[in-house]
Amino acid sequence: MIEGLKNIRRKILRLFKMRPIHKVIRLLQVNNYLLMEYVLEVFGHNGEYHTLDYVEHVGQLEIWEINKDCENDLRNNLPKATIKITDSFAQIKSTNKIYDTILIDNHQGLFGDNKCEHFEIIHYCFKKLADKAVLITNVIPDLLLSKYNIIEEKLNEHIERRKQFYDHATGTSISRSCFEKTYKKIAWNNGYLIKHIFFIKRNYLMTYVVLCLEKIK
């Protein structure tokens, strides 16, 4: 019942272009950074969420997802996309393709073989971006708002990983200035300048961080 109501709400907001990713699209358009000829979405799940909101702007879309159970839904929801059921961490290292925009729709915590949010994969994504490009990922401003039941040991490890990644004292409530400092440093270390950075609230827990990038010549 609740999930059905959520689906109806999602469809209504999609119809009127009022979903969070629509705000992202509008900001990219205004700043001349809607670069979607070649787009990659990492951790695509079943394609029923924000992918359906932005796909109309995309020339060629590629989606990676490790869960085989998602393949049929992905192909049904996004018939024109290239779908790969693959380990995204291995795929991002091996692919020779270059993308205008990469979206990392990462998990909200620890997952797989002890990976955390987008912390491991983001560095590899920079190596697959065009000279002028966009990188979008999910961040968690306040981890303590999570409604998920997480065993204390896992939560503590997640907090420690956030402390290290963001060079933050607590790893729980992280400011936008701290996020900005971290991603500017990562971009610089990978040969890019951030020309614009946007934060768009996605839901009660997660926020999109949108990096508009330019390769350092």
Side-chain angles (χ1 to χ4, degrees), residues 68-84:
K68 293 180 180 179
D69 293 340
C70 292
E71 183 172 9
N72 286 339
D73 284 339
L74 277 167
R75 296 193 185 282
N76 290 333
N77 289 324
L78 301 156
K80 295 181 180 180
T82 298
I83 308 299
K84 290 188 177 181

Side-chain angles (χ1 to χ4, degrees), residues 73-147:
D73 284 339
L74 277 167
R75 296 193 185 282
N76 290 333
N77 289 324
L78 301 156
K80 295 181 180 180
T82 298
I83 308 299
K84 290 188 177 181
I85 303 303
T86 185
D87 179 340
S88 295
F89 294 93
Q91 193 71 34
I92 196 70
K93 295 175 187 177
S94 64
T95 186
N96 293 321
K97 293 184 179 178
I98 298 296
Y99 303 93
D100 301 306
T101 294
I102 296 180
L103 297 96
I104 309 172
D105 195 8
N106 53 273
H107 195 276
Q108 68 274 4
L110 301 175
F111 66 102
D113 56 344
N114 210 35
K115 299 294 193 299
C116 186
E117 298 187 36
H118 56 273
F119 298 169
E120 295 84 8
I121 203 166
I122 190 171
H123 302 281
Y124 295 102
C125 289
F126 271 96
K127 302 181 188 308
K128 309 300 176 179
L129 289 170
D131 288 355
K132 182 179 181 182
V134 175
L135 182 60
I136 302 171
T137 191
N138 300 315
V139 296
I140 304 174
D142 191 344
L143 188 62
L144 300 182
L145 292 178
S146 177
K147 299 175 183 176

Side-chain angles (χ1 to χ4, degrees), residues 3 16 27 35 37 42 44 64 69 105 107 120 122 138 165 168 180 205:
E3 190 59 36
F16 291 99
L27 279 170
L35 309 171
E37 183 58 33
V42 179
W64 300 346
D69 293 340
D105 195 8
H107 195 276
E120 295 84 8
I122 190 171
N138 300 315
F165 187 82
H168 192 268
E180 189 168 342
L205 183 64

